[in-house]
Amino acid sequence: MAHPFPSCRPIPLAAAALTLAACGVGAPSQPLNPPVPSPSAAEAPSAFDDRSNGMVDDSTHQADQTAFDEVEEIADGLGPLYNAQSCRECHQNPTSGGPSQISELRVGHLGPDGQFRDADIPIARGAVVISGRTLVNDRAICPNAAFPDSEIQERVPDTETIRTTRLALNLLGDGLVEAVAEQTLIDLAREQRRATGGRIHGQVLRVPIVEAPGHTGIGRFGWKDQHASLLSFSGDAYLNEMGITSRLFPEEVTDLCNTVAEPNNTPDSTGIEDVDRFTRFVRATKAPARDRELAASPQAMRGSALFDSIGCPLCHVRTLTTAPAGTQINGGTFTIPPALGDKVFHPFGDFLLHDVGTGDGIAVAMAEHYGRKVYQVLWKELVRDSILHARNKVRTAPLWGVRLRPRLMHDAASLTLRDAILRHGGEAGAVTYRFTKLPRSGQQAIIEFLKSL
Ligand code: HEC
Ligand code: HEC
């Protein structure tokens, strides 16, 4: 592996701040000031116990989980194009809301101007072209008894030359992530630049809030930071993963083979829709808990200190604090409740986009993620950030719960923690170089530490 910064030296760890070595090139080193929790902030609960974090009572949480776990059939509105029958199918390890080994397919191509274009996928023997998306659905509801001769399966055409797989993500604790103030993320990006002379420069991406037309927020969900709001993401997933429309995404991806109305996008007896239940479920989950036994082992503790001293937390930020309860977010549509406000949590991520040399080249597909209406209104304003800058960037993978993920990185192509670390180039090149310069026992200590997360 070629390293861009061959003259790196070991760097000291100051008590409250990280110091980056002058590493071959770039500005002189500076301390990185991690965000400081406010004195009033309390530690957020963490566990895999299927109980609410306090946002709702446990019976409401369990009812919401039942909706998240529900297996949908054609009669429920499944498809016509879909990837799986329930949210749980892809978000389950070790319990509902966790990640899984399921990955999905995304493709696109470059236009004559060299700019990224969303995929055009012909289906129905070429009669219809699905456009405005990068997702390729792996399943379709027909042919079936009602449509024995229909053929609507999506497949990757030879013309879509930019291709990747993307792993399903963890959702446990994501209510905390949603409640982090925008300014916290902006400050973090600025700090990274300052501390590393611009070498590490997380990008914040402004994205539409689907439930608040005309409003944007700083993206923090998805491998590409394509959503700021869990309600927006739930609507997006219900349509694009399962083929089920909602008030947020009222249009089917295709009407071929579609016989049923969509019974899930009407409010239930408590006045809410499925997408509201999924969202409330995710918001009320507890953060992934650490392996306390391993965390207390001498090797993991040594690894923890080395993780800090070589600069991993420049991106894998240990601790973040949410905005105070009562703060309105998502274009004023959600007020942070006491269970999520002013909470300290440990995601080991910055929720910013970086180029660490692994980018899949796929830009955020506006029509797919925000609906066709938003696409028309906001395309011009957002095209610059989302397409020109972020195409080869990936959100720092939050490392909470990483011990429960046997496949790593966005494309699941790294199967060991060491391989995942050694794949980091680009903005992370200097930090990776320092990892390779540690004695083998130091490298192993960092890996033991990761296994405690
Ligand atoms: C076929 C598998 C699959 C199904 C079904 C599925 N998801 Fe996902 N989910 C994914 C993948 C893959 C990602 C990462 C997508 C990306 O960024 O490219 C993801 C990401 C997410 C995220 C972002 C998490 C984060 O921290 O960034 C949320 C929220 C989410 N899904 C919610 C849902 C909900 C709610 C449902 C049910 C309506 C659902 N998903 C159904 C595969 C799935
Ligand atoms: C410049 C920012 C940056 C630095 C510095 C950095 N990482 Fe990462 N890390 C990322 C990004 C971005 C990803 C996701 C890359 C992808 O999926 O293609 C990632 C992914 C990972 C993963 C895979 C996690 C998963 O769930 O798939 C591990 C493990 C990891 N990093 C560990 C480390 C360690 C250990 C260090 C220090 C030696 C480090 N990283 C330094 C940005 C960084």
Side-chain angles (χ1 to χ4, degrees), residues 200 223 307 310-312 315-316 354 356 358 394-397 399 402 405 408-410 417 420-421 424 427-428 431 435 446 450:
I200 295 183
W223 285 106
F307 179 85
I310 65 171
C312 305
C315 302
H316 295 286
H354 294 277
V356 296
T358 60
V394 185
R395 180 186 75 170
T396 302
L399 299 178
V402 73
R405 297 196 283 279
L408 299 165
M409 308 292 265
H410 71 277
L417 289 162
I421 296 168
H424 288 58
E427 289 179 51
V431 174
F435 177 83
I446 289 184
L450 294 177

Side-chain angles (χ1 to χ4, degrees), residues 79-166:
L81 301 172
Y82 69 108
N83 280 333
Q85 286 177 280
S86 101
C87 305
R88 182 183 61 182
E89 209 171 318
C90 301
H91 297 289
Q92 193 277 333
N93 190 36
T95 186
S96 288
S100 77
Q101 80 281 19
I102 310 272
S103 66
E104 50 193 43
L105 215 44
R106 289 193 179 272
V107 302
H109 60 275
L110 296 184
D113 56 359
Q115 299 279 320
F116 180 82
R117 298 278 194 285
D118 297 337
D120 296 312
I121 313 271
I123 58 169
R125 302 178 196 97
V128 170
V129 175
I130 306 292
S131 59
R133 306 203 308 165
T134 60
L135 188 66
V136 181
N137 286 120
D138 279 296
R139 308 186 201 181
I141 59 169
C142 63
N144 60 25
F147 299 93
D149 298 315
S150 288
E151 213 286 276
I152 65 165
Q153 179 59 53
E154 285 196 305
R155 277 180 302 269
V156 179
D158 288 326
T159 44
E160 302 302 334
T161 48
I162 304 174
R163 304 162 185 175
T164 192
T165 51
R166 284 208 206 140

